[in-house]
Amino acid sequence: MKTYSAKNWINDAFVSSASLSISFNPATYECIGEYPDDGGAAAGSAIDDANLACIQVAMLMRQVFSDHRYLLIYDRHIVTTGQVL
């Protein structure tokens, strides 16, 4: 059976782990791969990066909806007055 070695995905990049733990198939107790076991520091870094990504997406969505709202107001102005600014 082929075994796999996983890495952490943090801040848009795979990050090698200083410590790997073995993952076992619970039915056969056969080794099926390794996983990064960096503990709380890596988890905290991943959480911080995910929070930053959420904030960036929220800011982008706010800009898109703001632009969309402006276009709706502008379209309403054209329809009601016939004037193109």
Side-chain angles (χ1 to χ4, degrees), residues 1-5 30-34:
M1 170 181 259
K2 184 174 182 180
T3 61
Y4 299 91
S5 184
E30 179 182 17
C31 173
I32 57 174
E34 298 173 328

Side-chain angles (χ1 to χ4, degrees), residues 10-52:
I10 299 175
N11 199 20
D12 292 331
F14 282 109
V15 178
S16 295
S17 175
S19 174
L20 295 175
S21 293
I22 297 172
S23 181
F24 293 98
N25 179 339
T28 64
Y29 296 103
E30 179 182 17
C31 173
I32 57 174
E34 298 173 328
Y35 63 92
D37 193 8
D38 290 332
S45 179
I47 290 168
D48 291 343
D49 290 337
N51 283 335
L52 179 60

Side-chain angles (χ1 to χ4, degrees), residues 42-61:
S45 179
I47 290 168
D48 291 343
D49 290 337
N51 283 335
L52 179 60
C54 287
I55 290 168
Q56 291 170 340
V57 167
M59 291 172 59
L60 179 62
M61 289 177 64

